[in-house]
Amino acid sequence: MLYNSTQNAAEVVSSAQAISQGISKDGGLFVPQEFPEYDEATLQSLLKKDYKGRAKKVFSDFLTDFTAEEIDECVEKAYATEKFGGNNPAPLTFCNLDGKELNILELWHGPTCAFKDMALQILPHLLTKSLKKTYDGKTAVILVATSGDTGKAALEGFKDVNNTKIIVFYPVDGVSPMQKHQMNTQDGNNVTVCAIKGNFDDAQTGVKKIFTTPSVSEKLAENNMLFSSANSINWGRLLPQIVYYVSSYCDMVNEGKIELGDKMNVVVPTGNFGNILAAYYASLMGLPIAKFICASNSNNVLTDFINTGVYDKNRQFYTTISPSMDILVSSNLERLLYKLSGNNDKTVKGWMDALKSEGKYEVSDEVKAVINEKFFGGYCDDAQTKATISKMFKEQNYLCDTHTAVAINVYEQYVEKTGDTTPTVIASTASPYKFSKAVLEAIAPNTEISQDEFDIVDVLNDISKTPVPAPLANLRNKVSRFSDVTESNEMESYVLSALGIE
C-alpha cells in the first residue's frame, strides 16, 4: 500500500515514510492510494476477535511495509489492559433517551481520559519503527498544536521515547483548567509545553508553517533531526481511529443491536474533522455506515459547509465549554475533498490556496451532492450543551462531558428532522471530569463553584456518584513544570531555541 499527497499526487511514499514525515513537503496530507475491501466474510471473522485482534487486521492491511511481528508488538504495547482498564479500550454503553436508543462509544478510558489516547498510545511505536525504516539514526521532533486533548495524549505517548523530542503548543485561554494542568505537569526528559497568545487555529497554522519552511528543516537536518507530527494530519494518528469504528460495528452485531450486514449511523463531535473522517474511511473499506452525523458547537463552520458547500472561516470565533472543538480550520476535511473530487490534487490545492488567501472556498456541485447524501451537519451552543448534560444525568443517570453532549444534542436534531431510526453509534470523546466546572454547572446549577479545579472534581464526584478516573485524580498534587507563553508569530524561534539550535 502506497500513499500520496492531497496536493501533489506525484509524491508517492510508503506508510513508514508517511508516518515519519507527518505532512507532505508541499503542505498536503498523505492519503492511501486505495482502500482494503472488507466484505461480509471479513467482518464475520472480526466478530470473533477482541479489540487487539481487530486492530492487527486493520493495521496489517494499511501498513504493508511493516512485518506481522512489528504490528503485533505495536498493538500489544499500545492497548495493554493496564492502560485502558480492560480488554476493550473502546466499550459501548447503552442508554435510552426519549424513546431513542443511544449506543455510546466510550473512547476515553486511556491514560489521559480522552479519545486521542486510542491513537496516541500506538503512534510512538509506529513512528519509532518507521524512523528505523526511513531515517535511521535521526531524532524526530514532534510538533503538536492542540485544542486540549491531543497535547496531553501526545505528551503521554511520547514521553522518554528514544530518538524523539516533543513540543506542544496550546491556546493560552482555549483549554479547560484540567487540560492545562495535565499538560503543564507532564513528566519526561524530552517534552516541552508552551502556550500561545491566540486560538487553536493560530497554533495549527503556526505549526504547519514551521513544517513547510525549508530553512527551518535545513537547520534541523544539520543537527540530525527532522520534523514529524502527532496531530491527525499524520496518517499514523488517523489510521488507529478507523479501528474503533470497525470494532464498534462488530460489538453492535455481537450485542444483537444489528444483524451482520445491516447499516448503522455514526455521530461524531468534531472540530478538525479527523475523527469523523476515520468513520468515513471505514465505510470505504466496506463497513456498513449509512449516515455520518457531524456535530459542532457554536464554531459551526463544518455545519455550514455540509449544508451549503461553502467553507468560510471568516466568522466570529467562540470560546466554548467544549474547547476541543473550538476550531475554524478543519485540517482533515482536505482528505475528504481529495477523495470526493476523484483524487484531483490540483483541485484540492486550489481550494486550500483559496482558504489561505481569502479564508473561504466553494466546492463543485458534484462534491456537494455526495456530501449532502452522506453527511448531516448540526450544531448547538453552550446552553443547549448544558441542557443535554443535565437531561442525560437526570433521565439516564449518565454523566457525559461537554463534547459528547454536543453529539447527543445534534443526534436528537437529526432524528427530529429526518425520522431516521437506524441504529446509531455516538462517539464519546472525553471523561466529564476533564470539564468538571461546566458539567457541574449543568447538573447542579445552584451549587457554589470553587476556584480550585480539584475541589470542583470532588463536588462533582459527590453529586454524581461516578468515579473520578485515576489519571485525573493523581494530578491533584503535581506541580507545574511549564509556564511559557509566546506570540503565535514567534513559534518558529521558540522551537529552535527549545531544541538548542541557533
Side-chain angles (χ1 to χ4, degrees), residues 229-410:
S229 172
N231 283 91
S232 55
I233 56 175
N234 190 319
W235 176 245
R237 246 293 302 279
L238 193 61
L239 175 58
Q241 295 180 270
I242 295 173
V243 176
Y244 53 70
Y245 290 110
V246 173
S247 187
S248 69
Y249 184 86
C250 294
D251 288 345
M252 286 282 282
V253 174
N254 286 337
E255 289 286 344
K257 302 296 181 181
I258 54 177
E259 297 289 331
L260 184 63
D262 288 352
K263 290 192 173 184
M264 69 178 190
N265 292 337
V266 171
V267 188
V268 186
T270 187
N272 222 11
F273 208 76
N275 200 357
I276 196 166
L277 178 71
Y280 179 73
Y281 275 178
S283 76
L284 296 181
M285 297 160 59
L287 198 70
I289 301 178
K291 203 79 173 183
F292 304 89
I293 301 165
C294 179
S296 301
N297 60 19
S298 295
N299 295 294
N300 59 346
V301 64
L302 284 169
T303 306
D304 287 347
F305 172 70
I306 290 168
N307 292 331
T308 68
V310 177
Y311 195 99
D312 188 354
K313 71 170 186 174
N314 302 310
R315 62 182 65 210
Q316 182 176 347
F317 179 88
Y318 295 96
T319 300
T320 74
I321 59 172
S322 44
S324 298
M325 298 156 66
D326 290 350
I327 296 170
L328 292 180
V329 180
S330 304
S331 285
N332 276 290
L333 189 59
E334 181 175 335
R335 284 183 163 117
L336 176 72
L337 297 179
Y338 181 77
K339 183 65 180 175
L340 297 188
S341 65
N343 301 343
N344 192 321
D345 54 341
K346 292 181 176 57
T347 296
V348 171
K349 187 176 188 330
W351 288 332
M352 295 305 108
D353 286 346
L355 184 64
K356 288 175 189 171
S357 61
E358 303 163 33
K360 63 185 293 188
Y361 60 85
E362 182 172 4
V363 297
S364 65
D365 289 343
E366 293 79 10
V367 171
K368 280 185 205 177
V370 179
I371 290 172
N372 287 335
E373 177 194 352
K374 294 288 185 183
F375 289 84
F376 174 90
Y379 74 99
C380 67
D381 61 20
D382 283 356
Q384 293 168 298
T385 302
K386 285 185 177 180
T388 303
I389 294 170
S390 175
K391 186 177 182 182
M392 285 293 292
F393 183 68
K394 288 174 182 174
E395 297 185 16
Q396 289 295 310
N397 197 33
Y398 186 84
L399 194 68
C400 65
D401 85 295
T402 51
H403 303 76
T404 305
V406 170
I408 293 170
N409 183 286
V410 171

Side-chain angles (χ1 to χ4, degrees), residues 100-115:
K100 296 183 288 290
E101 185 169 70
L102 306 182
N103 307 292
I104 300 176
L105 178 62
E106 294 184 344
L107 300 170
W108 42 264
H109 293 283
T112 76
C113 307
F115 81 102

Side-chain angles (χ1 to χ4, degrees), residues 86-98:
N87 291 327
N88 188 354
L92 284 168
T93 294
F94 307 103
C95 300
N96 194 293
L97 190 65
D98 297 336

Side-chain angles (χ1 to χ4, degrees), residues 141-304:
V141 178
I142 316 297
L143 285 192
V144 179
T146 184
S147 55
D149 288 331
T150 289
K152 173 59 181 178
L155 290 162
E156 190 64 26
F158 280 97
K159 69 176 182 183
D160 295 326
V161 171
N162 290 337
N163 300 317
T164 67
K165 295 179 184 292
I166 179 167
I167 302 172
V168 170
F169 293 100
Y170 69 90
V172 66
D173 296 318
V175 300
S176 77
M178 183 65 81
Q179 289 173 315
K180 186 178 291 190
H181 193 59
Q182 280 187 298
M183 289 186 281
N184 286 336
T185 57
Q186 178 64 50
D187 299 325
N189 293 320
N190 62 337
V191 305
T192 301
V193 178
C194 181
I196 68 151
K197 295 175 184 176
N199 58 39
F200 169 76
D201 291 324
D202 297 321
Q204 181 168 251
T205 300
V207 164
K208 278 190 171 182
K209 184 179 178 184
I210 295 169
F211 262 104
T212 55
T213 300
S215 60
V216 182
S217 298
E218 287 166 11
K219 287 181 180 178
L220 260 69
E222 290 167 4
N223 288 270
N224 205 34
M225 300 177 186
L226 80 159
F227 282 129
S228 191
S229 172
N231 283 91
S232 55
I233 56 175
N234 190 319
W235 176 245
R237 246 293 302 279
L238 193 61
L239 175 58
Q241 295 180 270
I242 295 173
V243 176
Y244 53 70
Y245 290 110
V246 173
S247 187
S248 69
Y249 184 86
C250 294
D251 288 345
M252 286 282 282
V253 174
N254 286 337
E255 289 286 344
K257 302 296 181 181
I258 54 177
E259 297 289 331
L260 184 63
D262 288 352
K263 290 192 173 184
M264 69 178 190
N265 292 337
V266 171
V267 188
V268 186
T270 187
N272 222 11
F273 208 76
N275 200 357
I276 196 166
L277 178 71
Y280 179 73
Y281 275 178
S283 76
L284 296 181
M285 297 160 59
L287 198 70
I289 301 178
K291 203 79 173 183
F292 304 89
I293 301 165
C294 179
S296 301
N297 60 19
S298 295
N299 295 294
N300 59 346
V301 64
L302 284 169
T303 306
D304 287 347

